[in-house]
Amino acid sequence: MQTEAGISSIASAIQLSIAPVFLLTGVGAILGVLTNRLARIVDRSRVLTERFHENSETMAHLEHDLQLLSERARLVNRAIGLCTFGALLVCLVIVALFVSAIADAHLGQVIALAFTAAMLALIGGLVHFLRETYLATRSLRTGRL
């Protein structure tokens, strides 16, 4: 009987962890987008830095563009950090679900707090991503970069 109850609780933990695993997949996709944007910002910064050293006529314009790219990189970097932290917290939720099932521990509050913190971190990451895309599109409207 004890074995059947143990298997049942593990099966229940697996069922409960499916939603967070799908969430991890989505966060992974977001992180892929963010790292690609950061790579493009870095590449563009390198090109502008080379121009900055070669051409003294347009230094003020290039310096402004480099500052904008720096701000965008900072926002993307924060978004990556927050989304990664959120993903780590989701992993903690999954581990806590299994520990709760195997050790018959009552970790409901820990799981709820970790999941809430994960959602807040993901919200923060997405807000930073939204701010970065706003800066990028604003620079297009003003004809900069």
Side-chain angles (χ1 to χ4, degrees):
M1 275 302 202
Q2 187 76 339
T3 311
E4 288 180 24
I7 292 172
S8 177
S9 65
I10 291 172
S12 175
I14 290 172
Q15 289 174 340
L16 289 173
S17 67
I18 288 175
V21 168
F22 281 120
L23 178 60
L24 282 176
T25 303
V27 172
I30 291 169
L31 285 170
V33 169
L34 291 170
T35 54
N36 284 335
R37 289 185 74 86
L38 184 58
R40 293 188 55 128
I41 291 167
V42 168
D43 290 343
R44 182 70 179 144
S45 295
R46 287 182 181 148
V47 168
L48 290 179
T49 301
E50 287 176 17
R51 282 191 201 167
F52 186 78
H53 293 297
E54 293 172 359
N55 190 354
S56 60
E57 298 172 7
T58 58
M59 268 193 190
H61 294 294
L62 289 174
E63 191 171 334
H64 177 266
D65 291 349
L66 284 168
Q67 286 175 344
L68 181 63
L69 286 171
S70 177
E71 175 67 14
R72 288 180 56 200
R74 187 181 61 78
L75 288 169
V76 171
N77 196 33
R78 284 184 183 171
I80 289 171
L82 286 166
C83 288
T84 302
F85 182 65
L88 290 171
L89 287 169
V90 171
C91 291
L92 179 66
V93 166
I94 294 169
V95 168
L97 285 168
F98 279 98
V99 167
S100 180
I102 292 171
D104 200 27
H106 302 289
L107 300 175
Q109 288 183 337
V110 171
I111 292 168
L113 284 173
F115 190 76
T116 302
M119 291 300 99
L120 290 172
L122 290 173
I123 289 168
L126 291 172
V127 166
H128 279 77
F129 178 50
L130 185 62
R131 288 178 58 199
E132 187 276 329
T133 56
Y134 173 76
L135 273 179
T137 55
R138 186 179 73 185
S139 67
L140 288 173
R141 286 192 297 257
T142 61
R144 305 295 308 170
L145 295 179

